[in-house]
């Protein structure tokens, strides 16, 4: 795995758009470089949406007592896959929340559910005081 | 209104084709194959032959597998998009919701239809051009309705007409498949055909002494063992293994089916571990693992012995690898080369899921490579074998989600620390791996497992 | 995000434009809460370039309100990026979705 970029943003909701845009551009360039046979825009949208959800979660669950808190987004490439990671200093969380029951008109709880639906591999590791949420999508089989 | 363009609107409602859904639960009825080709593709073919430039699939239920398969239609050279309707929407509401799509020109509305019998040599553009507004073809198995006026410059002369064959029972499906194979020159069918009545897919291995009798159709990744007789009238799907000295004739084997040794399958439809008699409609869920697929994690004596042997072998490994683990684990931790990943197993399945934690070590540096060579990454999972939660060798949980299509429903999975596929050099993708895993699960006993385990230990593919 | 209001056939049409995410959805929420938005409504999503779960949650909330008031809520002109979010979450089963605004307004 080779790191493509890492960006640290202030943990504010308005920055989720920046994080998502970085994710989309990175994923589109990655897919184009690899001559991705599928839909490049859709691949870009996958990362845009997943990172938007992850970043928003990080901001929403931030510890308000810490000043100038940040969230870091990173991208790592392999020959056949791209991984986005979102690192925050929040409390550990459950990456398998219950699925929202759509017939009950839920207003929330879609975030991680969407990430799971979009990505091939989702994992969360605890590194020191940090949560690293990794989201991997393959463009082809090895 | 632009009368020049033609488009097709296919309407899918969940309540339709319940008989197919009951039999083949793991897929959308439109994704059930007829001669190794999903029903939806016959409708796409017909839309193209009728001159459609755009096709929309409007559905009142999830059609993820269908969408994944059809995509945007680029591989057929037609634009495909998707729309959502609600189960209570009537025809009028349906057309309102798709008004923009339909207003581009003449629209062919295909409802309740699984299959259109066409002949690829005909020009159905003539037929469509001559069709007045209203119902064009109708039967108990669906209808085709034309929206938009008849074009003025329609050409007189012989006009080909499509038909909608009766398709309401598994018996009718069986006869239609047979008929389609016999009239293969009418349709666009998958596979390589160097001679009439014989279609072969990619990666088909026919062992010496196996006999193929026409007409026959064989899908991709199929292994036919020595002494087997395939055909006449056999339609074999993809990812199928037919073991030694078995006979398959007048039968349809759906994708991912395993036929054991010395079996005779005549006049049947087999789908995974399900055997169907097309005439009576009777179904039989096979339990014998040596007959057809599905391995149930039951509690037979054999299974218990197998579990004990797996636990004992795991204990031996735990002892042997204890020292290397205790040394390498902290070193890898310091080098940030010890990551744990949680994985749902089987992927995509909706029923019983097991969360498996796997360790990932990158083959970097001397410690990383040594740790992988010694299978230190599998060490923590070995404890789960002692508890009976995992097997020592079996199915290795898959990496990506695209195996969900093969794992769901038809093949029971036995999650394990080591995969049978790791004993072989050749598997290139997860489908291959699954076939190897599956083959060994059927053929391997407790002692064999130990031999295969040693092979896997020495032959870890990522080394 | 911009919200433009118009009327077709006496039915209120809200045309949303731009990004509907956690940062912008409070604006839409406030807009819905400040004025009287009773009666049937059409939401034109053609110019929505991005929607995430926050935006979706808001539309689901609106759908619930309209349903309990027995009033129609129709979505129109969903682009592929918006449609994908509805499909992933199965939220499309809660809405009447039209590809044409005039048709949604019953014209």
């Amino acid at each position: 795995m080779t790191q493509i970029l890492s960006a640290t943003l202030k943990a504010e909701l308005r920055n989720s758009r920046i994080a998502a845009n970085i994710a989309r551009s990175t994923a589109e360039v990655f897919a184009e470089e690899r001559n991705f046979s599928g839909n490049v825009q859709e691949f870009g949208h996958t990362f845009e949406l997943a990172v938007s959800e992850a970043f928003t979660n990080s901001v929403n669950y931030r510890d308000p007592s810490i000043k100038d808190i940040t969230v870091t987004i990173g991208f790592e490439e392999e020959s056949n896959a791209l991984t986005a990671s979102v690192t925050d200093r929040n409390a550990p969380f459950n990456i398998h929340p219950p699925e929202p029951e759509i017939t009950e008109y839920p207003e929330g709880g879609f975030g991680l559910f969407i990430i799971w639906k979009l990505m091939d591999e989702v994992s969360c590791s605890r590194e020191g005081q940090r949560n690293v949420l990794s989201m991997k999508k393959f463009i082809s089989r090895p | 209104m632009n009368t020049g363009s033609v488009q097709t609107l296919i309407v899918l409602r969940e309540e339709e084709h319940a008989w197919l859904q009951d039999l083949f639960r793991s897929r959308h009825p439109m994704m059930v194959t007829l001669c190794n080709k999903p029903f939806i593709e016959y409708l796409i073919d017909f839309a193209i032959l009728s001159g459609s430039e755009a096709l929309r699939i409007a559905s009142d239920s999830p059609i993820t597998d269908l969408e994944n398969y059809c995509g945007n239609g680029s591989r057929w050279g037609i634009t495909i998009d998707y729309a959502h309707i609600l189960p209570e929407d009537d025809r009028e509401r349906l057309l309102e919701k798709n008004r923009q799509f339909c207003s581009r020109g003449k629209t062919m509305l295909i409802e309740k239809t699984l299959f259109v019998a066409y002949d690829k040599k005909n020009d159905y553009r003539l037929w469509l051009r001559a069709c007045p507004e209203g119902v064009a073809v109708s039967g108990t198995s669906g209808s085709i309705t034309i929206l938009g006026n008849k074009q003025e410059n329609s050409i007189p002369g012989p006009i080909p007409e499509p038909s909608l064959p009766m398709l309401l029972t598994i018996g009718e499906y069986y006869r239609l498949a047979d008929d389609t194979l016999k009239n293969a020159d009418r349709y666009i069918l998958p596979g390589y055909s160097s001679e009439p009545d014989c279609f072969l897919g990619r990666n088909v291995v026919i062992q010496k002494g196996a006999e193929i009798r026409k007409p026959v159709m064989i899908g991709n990744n199929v292994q036919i063992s020595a002494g087997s007789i395939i055909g006449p009238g056999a339609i074999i799907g993809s990812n199928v293994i037919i073991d030694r000295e078995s006979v398959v004739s007048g039968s349809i084997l759906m994708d991912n089916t395993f036929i054991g040794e010395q079996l005779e399958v005549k006049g049947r439809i087999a789908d995974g571990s399900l055997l169907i008699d097309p005439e009576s409609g009777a179904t039989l869920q096979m339990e014998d693992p040596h007959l057809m697929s599905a391995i149930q994690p039951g509690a037979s004596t054999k299974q218990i012995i197998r579990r004990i042997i797996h636990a004992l072998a795991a204990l031996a490994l735990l002892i042997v690898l204890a020292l290397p683990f205790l040394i390498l684990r902290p070193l890898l931790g310091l080098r940030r080369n010890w990551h744990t990943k949680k994985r749902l197993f089987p992927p995509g399945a909706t029923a019983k899921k097991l969360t498996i934690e796997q360790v990932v070590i990158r083959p970097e540096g001397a410690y990383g490579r040594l740790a992988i060579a010694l299978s230190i990454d599998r060490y923590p999972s070995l404890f789960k074998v002692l508890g009976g939660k995992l097997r020592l060798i079996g199915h290795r949980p898959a990496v990506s989600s695209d195996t969900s299509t093969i794992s769901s429903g038809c093949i029971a999975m036995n999650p394990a620390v080591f995969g049978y596929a790791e004993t072989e050099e050749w598997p290139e993708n997860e489908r291959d791996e699954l076939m190897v895993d599956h083959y060994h699960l059927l053929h391997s006993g407790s002692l064999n497992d130990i031999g295969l385990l040693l092979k896997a230990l020495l032959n870890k593919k990522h080394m | 995000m911009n919200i433009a209001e118009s009327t077709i056939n006496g039915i209120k049409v809200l045309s949303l434009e731009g990004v509907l995410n956690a940062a912008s959805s409070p604006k839409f929420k406030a807009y819905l809460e400040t004025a009287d938005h009773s009666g049937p409504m059409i939401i034109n999503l053609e110019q929505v370039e991005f929607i995430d779960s926050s935006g979706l949650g808001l539309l689901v909330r609106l759908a619930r309100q309209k349903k309990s008031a027995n009033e129609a809520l129709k979505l129109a002109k969903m682009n592929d990026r918006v449609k994908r979010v509805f499909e992933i979450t199965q939220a499309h089963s809660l809405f009447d979705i039209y590809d044409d605004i005039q048709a949604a307004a019953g014209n």
Side-chain angles (χ1 to χ4, degrees):
Chain A
M1 280 218 266
T2 320
Q3 189 167 50
I4 303 177
L5 74 83
S6 161
T8 300
L9 299 160
K10 236 177 145 178
E12 289 173 359
L13 280 180
R14 66 191 183 98
N15 287 343
S16 73
R17 196 65 208 131
I18 298 176
N21 275 335
I22 293 173
R24 186 189 62 227
S25 323
T26 309
E28 284 184 2
V29 171
F30 171 82
E32 272 164 14
E33 276 179 357
R34 296 291 194 285
N35 293 322
F36 180 45
S37 59
N39 185 332
V40 172
Q41 276 75 39
E42 192 177 298
F43 191 76
H45 181 242
T46 298
F47 277 87
E48 179 183 6
L49 186 53
V51 168
S52 181
E53 298 295 352
F55 190 91
T56 303
N57 272 351
S58 289
V59 175
N60 283 338
Y61 293 101
R62 69 182 183 273
D63 182 347
S65 66
I66 307 175
K67 246 190 142 188
D68 290 331
I69 198 161
T70 57
V71 176
T72 301
I73 56 168
F75 298 89
E76 288 185 324
E77 61 178 349
E78 287 163 78
S79 60
N80 65 335
L82 181 67
T83 303
S85 62
V86 174
T87 307
D88 62 38
R89 291 181 156 274
N90 302 348
F93 64 97
N94 172 22
I95 61 166
H96 295 294
E99 279 187 20
E101 190 58 59
I102 196 66
T103 49
E104 285 163 18
Y105 289 77
E107 286 172 38
F110 290 117
L112 269 164
F113 175 70
I114 288 176
I115 293 173
W116 274 105
K117 284 276 182 184
L118 291 171
M119 291 291 168
D120 292 327
E121 278 183 21
V122 181
S123 62
C124 189
S125 56
R126 189 81 183 157
E127 293 183 1
Q129 292 298 304
R130 296 183 179 87
N131 293 311
V132 183
L133 179 69
S134 298
M135 301 168 285
K136 186 183 218 172
K137 184 95 186 157
F138 290 93
I139 52 168
S140 63
R141 299 299 319 142
Chain B
M1 183 190 282
N2 173 9
T3 48
S5 78
V6 172
Q7 58 277 334
T8 298
L9 179 61
I10 296 174
V11 182
L12 306 178
R13 294 181 188 273
E14 197 170 17
E15 62 188 32
E16 297 161 359
H17 320 302
W19 63 276
L20 256 189
Q21 203 132 40
D22 289 345
L23 281 169
F24 306 111
R25 289 180 181 279
S26 60
R27 69 214 95 153
H28 190 279
M30 275 290 164
M31 287 302 292
V32 172
T33 54
L34 180 89
C35 287
N36 291 348
K37 172 165 161 150
F39 278 124
I40 187 70
E41 226 182 310
Y42 290 96
L43 299 190
I44 294 172
D45 286 348
F46 183 68
I48 293 169
L49 288 169
S50 317
S52 292
E53 288 149 17
L55 185 145
R56 173 171 289 180
I57 300 173
S59 170
D60 67 354
S61 54
I63 49 167
T64 320
D65 49 345
L66 202 64
E67 281 201 50
N68 288 341
Y69 184 80
C70 299
N72 60 7
S74 57
R75 80 182 136 120
W76 294 283
I78 187 170
T79 309
I80 299 181
D81 71 2
Y82 305 87
H84 300 291
I85 53 170
L86 298 177
E88 60 269 27
D89 288 346
D90 55 11
R91 163 83 73 83
E92 194 185 352
R93 175 65 68 91
L94 162 83
L95 294 178
E96 266 176 21
K97 286 187 172 182
N98 294 284
R99 187 194 286 181
Q100 198 179 57
F101 178 79
C102 297
S103 66
R104 292 188 229 172
K106 204 163 189 173
T107 303
M108 180 159 69
L109 177 67
I110 302 182
E111 290 172 295
K112 288 187 187 161
T113 306
L114 278 168
F115 180 81
V116 179
Y118 63 82
D119 186 336
K120 66 185 178 192
K121 297 180 284 298
N122 288 339
D123 186 349
Y124 290 97
R125 284 176 297 185
L126 297 177
W127 165 78
L128 189 65
R129 215 178 281 176
C131 276
E133 187 150 15
V135 179
V137 194
S138 167
T140 39
S141 300
S143 67
I144 301 178
T145 308
I146 308 300
L147 312 166
N149 290 328
K150 176 180 170 177
Q151 250 170 264
E152 294 305 318
N153 55 348
S154 66
I155 301 150
I159 293 172
E161 280 229 22
S163 66
L164 304 177
M166 190 84 119
L167 194 49
L168 299 169
T169 63
I170 192 68
E172 280 158 1
Y173 165 85
Y174 176 78
R175 282 188 289 281
L176 182 63
D178 184 54
D179 193 59
T180 306
L181 182 62
K182 282 178 182 148
N183 293 292
D185 60 328
R186 289 181 55 156
Y187 298 98
I188 302 157
L189 294 179
Y192 168 76
S193 177
S194 61
E195 48 189 312
D197 300 332
C198 180
F199 293 83
L200 288 184
R202 280 176 283 112
N203 193 20
V204 174
V205 180
I206 301 169
Q207 286 183 4
K208 233 172 159 179
E211 201 181 313
I212 306 292
R213 294 174 182 169
K214 293 192 293 185
V216 71
M217 173 177 268
I218 298 176
N220 301 326
N221 307 317
V222 173
Q223 198 176 319
I224 296 166
S225 302
S228 296
I229 301 169
I230 309 301
I235 300 168
I236 315 283
S238 291
N239 306 308
V240 169
I241 293 180
I242 297 167
D243 218 337
R244 277 165 299 188
E245 293 161 38
S246 285
V247 176
V248 179
S249 65
S251 293
I252 301 167
L253 306 186
M254 299 300 224
D255 293 356
N256 312 307
T257 299
F258 185 100
I259 298 293
E261 283 177 25
Q262 297 179 325
L263 273 180
E264 197 177 85
V265 184
K266 280 188 175 169
R268 295 285 184 274
I269 299 170
D271 178 45
S273 58
L274 185 73
L275 197 62
I276 305 164
D277 174 15
E279 289 319 311
S280 65
T283 61
L284 182 64
Q285 192 77 43
M286 307 303 287
E287 297 295 343
D288 182 350
H290 296 287
L291 212 52
M292 275 169 53
S293 139
I295 310 120
Q296 304 295 332
S300 67
T301 336
K302 254 187 184 170
Q303 295 280 3
I304 292 167
I305 292 172
R306 203 168 185 173
R307 191 177 282 181
I308 292 170
I309 288 183
H310 277 225
L312 286 173
L315 189 64
L317 278 178
L318 279 168
I319 294 166
V320 171
L321 294 175
L323 195 61
F325 173 75
L326 289 173
I327 296 169
L328 286 168
R329 171 68 185 88
L331 286 171
L332 290 166
L334 280 175
R335 275 157 207 268
R336 290 185 176 276
N337 192 5
W338 182 276
H339 304 274
T340 53
K341 294 210 161 172
K342 281 196 178 136
R343 205 160 265 174
L344 276 185
F345 186 84
T350 45
K352 234 167 100 185
K353 276 191 181 182
L354 178 66
T355 308
I356 292 170
E357 200 168 273
Q358 289 183 350
V359 174
V360 181
I361 300 172
R362 292 187 301 272
E364 291 168 7
Y367 296 132
R369 282 195 291 273
L370 182 65
I372 291 171
L374 290 172
S375 302
I376 295 298
D377 52 333
R378 312 290 167 91
Y379 196 83
S381 316
L382 290 172
F383 291 100
K384 295 221 168 91
V385 183
L386 294 182
K389 226 177 153 188
L390 289 180
R391 281 178 175 230
L392 191 53
I393 185 157
H395 286 110
R396 176 102 174 117
V399 177
S400 78
S401 59
D402 62 355
T403 39
S404 55
T405 46
I406 28 181
S407 61
S408 55
C410 48
I411 297 177
M413 308 284 267
N414 288 278
V417 180
F418 294 92
Y420 284 120
E422 290 177 295
T423 65
E424 303 279 353
E425 297 280 4
W426 64 271
E428 280 184 3
N429 55 39
E430 281 168 22
R431 270 176 189 277
D432 296 349
E433 285 176 9
L434 208 69
M435 287 316 287
V436 174
D437 282 353
H438 199 49
Y439 184 84
H440 283 304
L441 270 168
L442 293 185
H443 285 74
S444 172
S446 304
L447 290 175
N448 263 346
D449 277 356
I450 303 303
L452 288 166
L453 171 69
L454 292 174
K455 216 173 154 190
L457 276 168
L458 296 172
N459 184 34
K460 285 182 71 184
K461 278 193 299 167
H462 48 273
M463 266 166 71
Chain C
M1 191 194 64
N2 291 319
I3 307 161
E5 202 179 305
S6 60
T7 309
I8 300 178
N9 255 8
I11 297 173
K12 188 180 283 183
V13 180
L14 298 186
S15 296
L16 308 184
E17 190 187 333
V19 172
L20 198 53
N21 66 359
S24 63
S25 51
K27 182 182 169 185
F28 184 38
K29 193 177 175 193
Y31 175 84
L32 291 172
E33 282 167 358
T34 45
D36 175 26
H37 291 290
S38 59
M41 185 188 277
I42 296 168
I43 298 193
N44 175 6
L45 296 166
E46 190 176 18
Q47 301 298 327
V48 173
E49 60 175 273
F50 180 78
I51 185 170
D52 71 4
S53 63
S54 319
L56 179 74
L58 211 49
L59 290 174
V60 170
R61 175 195 167 97
L62 186 60
R64 186 172 55 193
Q65 287 167 352
K66 289 286 176 195
K67 190 181 154 74
S68 55
N70 209 12
E71 292 166 350
L73 173 68
K74 294 171 178 177
L75 303 182
K77 297 185 85 74
M78 251 187 210
N79 59 50
D80 285 348
R81 293 158 59 81
V82 174
K83 198 187 279 175
R84 194 158 174 234
V85 179
F86 276 77
E87 283 172 3
I88 289 170
T89 55
Q90 299 293 319
H92 56 72
S93 59
L94 307 179
F95 296 91
D96 274 310
I97 301 167
Y98 289 72
D99 70 353
D100 184 80
I101 292 171
Q102 294 292 337
N107 247 359

